[in-house]
Amino acid sequence: MVSTILTGAVYGIGGYLITVEVDMAEGLPCIDMVGFLGSEVKESAERVRVAIKNGGYVIPPKRFTINLSPAGIRKGGSAFDLPIAIGILESMGVVKMDKREEMLIAGELGLDGAVRSIRGVLPILLAAKEQGIKVCIIPEANRKEGECVGGIRIIGIKTLKDAVGILMNPIKLQVKPGKTSFQDISPWKGITDFENIIGQPVARRAAEIAAAGFHNLLFTGPPGTGKSMIASAMPGILPPMNEEEMLDTSKVYSVAGMLNEEQYFIARRPFLNPHHTITPQALVGGGGIPRPGVISLANHGILFLDELPEFKRQTLDMLRQPLENGKITIARKSGNYTYPCDFMLVAAMNPCPCGYYPDAMRCNCTDLEVKRYSGRVSGPLLDRIDLSVGVLRNSYEQIKSFRKEESSGEIRGRVMEARKRQRERNGPELFNSRIPVTHLKKFCILKAEAESVAERYYSSMDMSIRGYHRLLRVARTIADLDGAFMIGKKHILEAASYRSAL
Amino acid sequence: MTKADEKAWHKECSYGYFWESVPGIGIKTINQLYEQYGSYEKMYRADGEWGLTERKKDAFFLQKAKWNVKEEYNRLLYNKIWCIPMHLCGYPDKLKEIHRPPSALFVKGRLPEGERPAVAVVGARNCSPYGKLMAKELGKILAQNGIQVISGLAIGIDGISQRAAMEHGGASFGIMGCGVDICYPADNRLIYEQLSAGRNRGGIISEFMPGTKPLSGHFPLRNRIISGMADMLVVVEAKERSGTFITVSDALEQGRDVYAVPGRFNDPLSYGCNRLIDQGAFVLYDANRFIEDVFERYTYRKKRKPCTGTEKYLPITGTEKEPVFTVNEMLTNCEYKKECGKDVFGGLETEILEILDIQYVSAGDILCALEGCSTSEILAALSTLECCGKVESKGSFYRKIT
């Protein structure tokens, strides 16, 4: 008799359902597993056998054949332990399954029968919901994460015995849709507030524009002037994520195995600042079955690269395509994996090895050294950065003045207003920085005087077409912050002042 | 010189520049010809009717064919470089007395004033902290006493003393071993830019054609100009074997007094200075005494009959109505013409232009200076100026383009 149990696995960022088929037959006593399995899945047989034994059940000396279908996709991960064990128990007649096509089981087993947490619960359950599954039995540790899906009953279990108990007691399985419960934390708790940043009017303004239009941003300046501090305060002025964005980002974290009982959902925009020694694989994702890299973990949030020229050039150039497309496709032997990576790049760098160029009073670097240093960052990457701004040493008047600086809350208020205007014009999810070229004419309407300024600027500054489009997008955001419908002269001119600093 | 003279002067300069450009014709030939004809233009117009070797004639005709006198001279002026041939007024008197004076000087900024004393400060490139301190101190004292500093703009003593002089409001002059349009060494970019901007800060001077690379052979040559332009030479630090001694022997040959800053026994960087003292150089042990000495030297030189040579100046005439000015005054007060006068700026742009300098100023400082203007207003104004070519930007630093 063949018993079938539904379970799930992840492929890239998406989940899909897998059928575990268990057959018990006469023959030499052994457990055979087939279905294009990774080594951790093959090992599962030993874990399951011991866990069942320690659960107090006796496995009869028969031949078990287990197939994971569809057999064409390579399977990894440890989520198959529990469905295999349940399958074996069912074929032994220990449990009885009703409505097996409406139930999904996933979990890892310990030798003592404990059920342990697994990766990728969120995408698996989302796929399950789509396929009409009503009940999911998953490890208790993943329960909260699973409940975020909503509209589906989630049962968290701690041991194999719990699972058997629940399956044998149909009342507990009564279909009650679970409630969506998003993690309830303030999205801005613990983030550096802008009121603590003294002076830096130009950099603050650039940060505000970047936050409003989700533009990439580069800070250039001498050491110790607050580049990193401003960058770390930036999550505090970004508009909060909507549910779709939250789910999107949480899925990446789920696949990466970075969700746990404390943090079971990503409710605030991520802020990632990898060290400059990071490898290309860690940055964009990699591995035999590729895991999402740092850029995907920064999805809908900020990727902050401090000391930009210190990154290996090869590593940085990996960012070019993701910056353009908002997603990364990694090709491996086992298939092509696509992860989202729609992030805002915030970078900081010194303008020269000593850090003070072009302040001739303090910079001792030769022109050649300056060129060589900034040349470590490739031009095509810089070309994708919308706003470039120098962070400078504050003058003493600025430090000693008691003027109250604006807080993150006030700036955020303006950012949200600008965001609202964008939503009304661009459609729900489109930030200004992501306006496709085809829509630029429609969304970025220039006043006549602005048109002439833009034209003059374009010809006198030897801009590229991409540079011109970038200018338009930034000007659009500045106009949005200003509450203007059409882009005026001053908006274009201000946008032009944030051109590449190098 | 009057306005009318100025025109004639420029014309002569343009032909002087041509003669300077002919390869294979040196100072000796030029002087010989000038004596014969009395004008650079006449020399040019004589069309090789002079009794020189065939090779020199060939060189002249070849250069004449490819050199448009007027155009080339205008291009020189456009690049803010002056060419002052030896026989025209404006060429420093002091240089005429020395052996093998340069046949023409190229100047960015202005020339040292003959009416004020000038002191050359030279020394080691890789100097000690003591040397640095002394160079700084010297630059300061000289600047405070209104004495002009002449040096080679090199790394080390030269640059440090010039920078100190500049910081204390004095004038200093960098004599280059390359064309005046090349900043060598690049480390002294700040001084180079300040000096070449002219006004009262000083100037960059060279005998080499603009565009000449800083070859090692050029530097010993330019040393004779350093000492020649000065009334006195001060050696701050020098090793046992040092290029500084070329300058010292030039100075002695030209009759300039040599001062040495004493150092410690067994300090290799002071060996040269101490040896100079042993050989009879003046010891710089008291600043006041030194300054007094400089002025004494200067007035002594002044009293002597100026230049005995055969140079023919263009007439320095002047009527009651027309103001008379020297070449150096002209260099100092020259406003460079530049196209782009049509742009009409608003009040804010004009205010910003007033704040900006030829050195980079940060946008933050501009904001600070213009209380009450919003960041975005000022950034927009700066973009307008940049767009019109009035202002140049590096990051959030801005500077005026003169």
Side-chain angles (χ1 to χ4, degrees):
Chain A
M1 173 215 163
V2 176
S3 96
T4 58
I5 309 285
L6 280 178
T7 184
V10 283
Y11 182 86
I13 198 68
Y16 62 97
L17 294 190
I18 286 178
T19 313
V20 177
E21 299 168 341
V22 180
D23 176 68
M24 185 174 74
E26 300 299 327
L28 280 175
C30 71
I31 299 180
D32 266 341
M33 289 182 66
V34 293
F36 202 11
L37 309 179
S39 56
E40 70 269 40
V41 184
K42 282 181 193 151
E43 288 162 2
S44 153
E46 297 307 314
R47 282 198 294 274
V48 168
R49 199 208 325 261
V50 179
I52 291 177
K53 187 207 86 183
N54 288 344
Y57 312 103
V58 180
I59 302 181
K62 302 225 166 143
R63 184 188 178 103
F64 290 93
T65 307
I66 297 160
N67 177 36
L68 269 54
S69 150
I73 306 174
R74 187 177 171 85
K75 291 160 201 81
S78 51
F80 305 118
D81 292 3
L82 189 60
I84 290 170
I86 300 290
I88 291 173
L89 290 176
E90 198 202 358
S91 54
M92 282 158 55
V94 178
V95 292
K96 236 186 114 216
M97 299 272 289
D98 289 335
K99 296 185 182 168
R100 63 179 71 234
E101 68 286 345
E102 286 184 5
M103 189 186 297
L104 178 139
I105 301 172
E108 177 183 329
L109 279 178
L111 294 188
D112 56 353
V115 177
R116 291 175 185 161
S117 71
I118 55 170
R119 286 197 294 124
V121 168
L122 207 52
I124 292 173
L125 294 203
L126 282 168
K129 186 180 163 189
E130 229 169 73
Q131 304 273 326
I133 303 281
K134 304 252 166 54
V135 184
C136 294
I137 298 177
I138 56 173
E140 174 64 24
N142 294 115
R143 184 175 55 82
K144 284 183 179 168
E145 181 186 339
E147 279 172 356
C148 295
V149 174
I152 185 167
R153 176 133 166 88
I154 308 291
I155 301 169
I157 52 161
K158 283 187 175 145
T159 62
L160 183 57
K161 272 202 147 166
D162 286 354
V164 174
I166 284 166
L167 287 170
M168 294 304 286
N169 187 354
I171 296 164
K172 284 190 179 166
L173 287 175
Q174 269 181 3
V175 179
K176 265 190 273 161
K179 241 170 101 186
T180 311
S181 74
F182 290 135
Q183 201 158 2
D184 186 29
I185 53 160
S186 159
W188 298 295
K189 208 180 137 200
I191 296 171
T192 318
D193 197 291
F194 263 90
E195 67 183 357
N196 298 326
I197 296 167
I198 305 165
Q200 306 299 6
V202 184
R204 294 170 77 100
R205 173 76 180 158
E208 180 180 331
I209 296 167
F214 221 67
H215 296 285
N216 298 325
L217 175 60
L218 170 69
F219 291 120
T220 319
T225 46
K227 299 185 293 293
S228 313
M229 190 175 178
I230 296 174
S232 65
M234 283 200 61
I237 58 168
L238 287 173
M241 291 207 274
N242 60 29
E243 276 184 24
E244 202 170 313
E245 285 174 329
M246 287 187 203
L247 212 54
D248 229 20
T249 308
S250 300
K251 262 157 76 176
V252 179
Y253 277 74
S254 178
V255 170
M258 287 173 73
L259 295 179
N260 51 38
E261 272 177 281
E262 279 89 59
Q263 195 192 18
Y264 54 86
F265 199 66
I266 303 300
R268 60 154 78 168
R269 295 197 182 267
F271 179 84
L272 281 261
N273 56 340
H275 188 252
H276 57 73
T277 50
I278 190 169
T279 61
Q281 287 75 22
L283 189 69
V284 299
I289 294 174
R291 299 264 197 110
V294 169
I295 57 167
S296 299
L297 295 177
N299 193 30
H300 295 306
I302 291 175
L303 176 71
F304 176 47
L305 302 181
D306 206 354
E307 308 300 350
L308 194 65
E310 304 295 338
F311 283 82
K312 267 186 263 158
R313 197 180 165 130
Q314 185 204 357
T315 313
L316 283 184
D317 278 351
M318 295 255 166
L319 292 177
R320 280 156 61 167
Q321 187 231 347
L323 275 172
E324 204 83 329
N325 303 338
K327 60 187 183 205
I328 174 111
T329 302
I330 303 161
R332 288 291 185 272
K333 190 176 75 182
S334 52
N336 291 336
Y337 297 81
T338 302
Y339 292 113
C341 57
D342 187 7
F343 59 92
M344 178 201 289
L345 176 67
V346 178
M349 65 182 282
N350 298 135
C352 68
C354 86
Y356 295 103
Y357 183 81
D359 186 353
M361 294 304 283
R362 302 216 282 163
C363 175
N364 296 320
C365 304
T366 61
D367 279 348
L368 190 67
E369 282 175 316
V370 175
K371 247 188 207 151
R372 206 176 282 155
Y373 191 73
S374 55
R376 289 198 213 164
V377 184
S378 71
L381 181 68
L382 288 176
D383 203 35
R384 287 166 173 82
I385 293 178
D386 301 342
L387 294 162
S388 174
V389 65
V391 180
L392 309 160
R393 210 162 57 103
N394 280 322
S395 64
Y396 189 68
E397 287 105 77
Q398 283 170 320
I399 298 174
K400 75 169 180 207
S401 87
F402 292 101
R403 206 181 67 193
K404 185 103 170 57
E405 298 288 357
E406 268 186 320
S407 69
S408 292
E410 288 168 69
I411 300 174
R412 197 167 54 234
R414 290 199 297 272
V415 169
M416 304 268 258
E417 277 294 305
R419 181 81 190 96
K420 209 177 99 199
R421 262 175 229 113
Q422 288 175 54
R423 208 176 294 131
E424 282 160 9
R425 181 189 56 240
N426 302 0
E429 301 312 324
L430 200 60
F431 278 104
N432 280 343
S433 57
R434 310 290 192 262
I435 298 176
V437 177
T438 45
H439 289 58
L440 268 177
K441 275 223 173 78
K442 202 167 105 200
F443 293 153
C444 305
I445 307 167
L446 296 172
K447 282 188 190 157
E449 47 170 17
E451 192 93 55
S452 70
V453 169
E455 185 197 329
R456 183 157 179 197
Y457 209 87
Y458 178 78
S459 49
S460 70
M461 289 294 150
D462 292 331
M463 286 173 106
S464 66
I465 285 283
R466 174 150 56 192
Y468 178 67
H469 290 158
R470 213 169 51 207
L471 184 75
L472 284 186
R473 293 189 185 109
V474 175
R476 181 66 265 174
T477 305
I478 296 172
D480 282 339
L481 280 167
D482 206 11
F485 169 69
M486 278 160 92
I487 299 174
K489 185 178 158 190
K490 58 178 179 179
H491 304 134
I492 286 279
L493 283 172
E494 190 185 344
S497 76
Y498 302 113
R499 261 175 343 108
S500 175
L502 304 164
Chain B
M1 208 161 69
T2 61
K3 281 278 163 203
D5 295 334
E6 187 184 336
K7 213 173 163 191
W9 182 81
H10 273 301
K11 198 165 185 195
E12 273 295 281
C13 281
S14 63
Y15 285 100
Y17 180 38
F18 164 78
W19 281 103
E20 195 58 25
S21 75
V22 185
I25 293 191
I27 172 130
K28 227 168 148 187
T29 320
I30 295 179
N31 280 351
Q32 194 187 329
L33 289 174
Y34 195 87
E35 223 165 282
Q36 199 178 336
Y37 290 92
S39 149
Y40 288 105
E41 191 183 353
K42 279 181 194 157
M43 282 157 66
Y44 180 84
R45 301 252 177 259
D47 248 357
E49 289 303 312
W50 8 267
L52 287 180
T53 57
E54 282 304 315
R55 193 188 287 174
K56 282 183 182 170
K57 275 187 193 169
D58 287 349
F60 168 77
F61 284 119
L62 194 67
Q63 187 70 357
K64 190 179 175 182
K66 59 182 180 187
W67 188 272
N68 183 330
V69 174
K70 202 170 169 188
E71 222 170 71
E72 293 288 343
Y73 187 67
N74 283 341
R75 187 185 305 164
L76 194 72
L77 290 188
Y78 183 80
N79 291 323
K80 302 168 195 172
I81 300 171
W82 300 86
C83 170
I84 301 173
M86 183 183 166
H87 298 283
L88 296 185
C89 66
Y91 190 89
D93 289 340
K94 273 185 222 161
L95 273 189
K96 286 178 189 156
E97 320 170 345
I98 71 172
H99 176 61
R100 279 184 65 80
S103 52
L105 284 183
F106 292 94
V107 184
K108 257 190 131 165
R110 66 175 176 93
L111 284 162
E113 287 169 41
E115 293 75 39
R116 283 163 66 195
V119 167
V121 180
V122 296
R125 280 196 296 270
N126 50 351
C127 49
S128 68
Y130 168 71
K132 277 183 195 166
L133 184 72
M134 289 318 294
K136 238 183 225 172
E137 201 57 27
L138 255 175
K140 186 176 141 194
I141 299 169
L142 292 170
Q144 283 168 347
N145 286 286
I147 299 167
Q148 309 172 91
V149 177
I150 315 268
S151 197
L153 204 77
I155 301 174
I157 301 294
D158 289 25
I160 294 167
S161 59
Q162 289 197 277
R163 187 168 174 160
M166 194 182 78
E167 278 167 7
H168 290 88
S172 84
F173 300 85
I175 318 294
M176 310 293 277
C178 54
V180 287
D181 52 341
I182 294 169
C183 174
Y184 179 88
D187 299 58
N188 284 336
R189 198 173 49 225
L190 173 69
I191 316 173
Y192 175 83
E193 277 175 14
Q194 287 274 6
L195 297 190
S196 57
R199 299 289 180 271
N200 285 319
R201 289 173 172 130
I204 300 288
I205 301 165
S206 170
E207 65 172 311
F208 302 104
M209 289 283 286
T212 308
K213 298 244 164 65
L215 302 179
S216 58
H218 293 164
F219 288 86
L221 284 175
R222 64 108 198 238
N223 286 355
R224 76 180 196 285
I225 308 180
I226 294 182
S227 56
M229 281 206 163
D231 295 299
M232 192 180 270
L233 176 75
V234 182
V235 182
V236 176
E237 259 188 342
K239 282 189 191 158
E240 187 177 356
R241 287 165 51 85
S242 166
T244 306
F245 293 114
I246 301 174
T247 321
V248 171
S249 59
D250 283 337
L252 293 173
E253 203 173 274
Q254 295 158 357
R256 295 343 183 213
D257 283 342
V258 176
Y259 259 85
V261 176
R264 280 180 301 197
F265 173 71
N266 88 3
D267 183 347
L269 273 165
S270 284
Y271 186 96
C273 283
N274 289 344
R275 192 177 55 193
L276 276 177
I277 294 169
D278 177 49
Q279 288 167 346
F282 292 97
V283 186
L284 204 167
Y285 64 95
D286 182 287
N288 291 332
R289 184 68 203 282
F290 168 67
I291 296 295
E292 268 170 39
D293 232 22
V294 173
F295 278 99
E296 204 175 293
R297 274 280 109 192
Y298 169 72
T299 35
Y300 171 73
R301 190 184 298 283
K302 269 283 184 189
K303 271 185 218 150
R304 275 193 328 174
K305 259 197 163 178
C307 324
T308 50
T310 52
E311 311 83 0
K312 288 169 197 157
Y313 290 94
L314 275 179
I316 298 183
T317 54
T319 56
E320 304 269 312
K321 285 175 207 157
E322 282 190 281
V324 183
F325 51 89
T326 67
V327 169
N328 211 0
E329 272 164 12
M330 183 174 84
L331 262 56
T332 312
N333 300 324
C334 175
E335 289 290 341
Y336 295 105
K337 284 175 213 110
K338 248 214 137 184
E339 69 270 66
C340 178
K342 290 173 209 158
D343 296 298
V344 182
F345 298 123
L348 186 57
E349 278 89 347
T350 325
E351 267 182 75
I352 290 176
L353 272 181
E354 268 165 32
I355 296 168
L356 287 176
D357 194 15
I358 52 156
Q359 285 305 315
Y360 282 107
V361 175
S362 77
D365 289 347
I366 301 171
L367 265 166
C368 228
L370 295 169
E371 200 79 37
C373 293
S374 78
T375 312
S376 43
E377 270 173 1
I378 285 179
L379 290 176
L382 282 167
S383 289
T384 315
L385 289 170
E386 189 177 14
C387 202
C388 301
K390 288 275 187 193
V391 157
E392 187 179 37
S393 79
K394 273 264 157 68
S396 295
F397 282 91
Y398 291 85
R399 73 167 177 189
K400 207 191 275 188
I401 304 176
T402 43

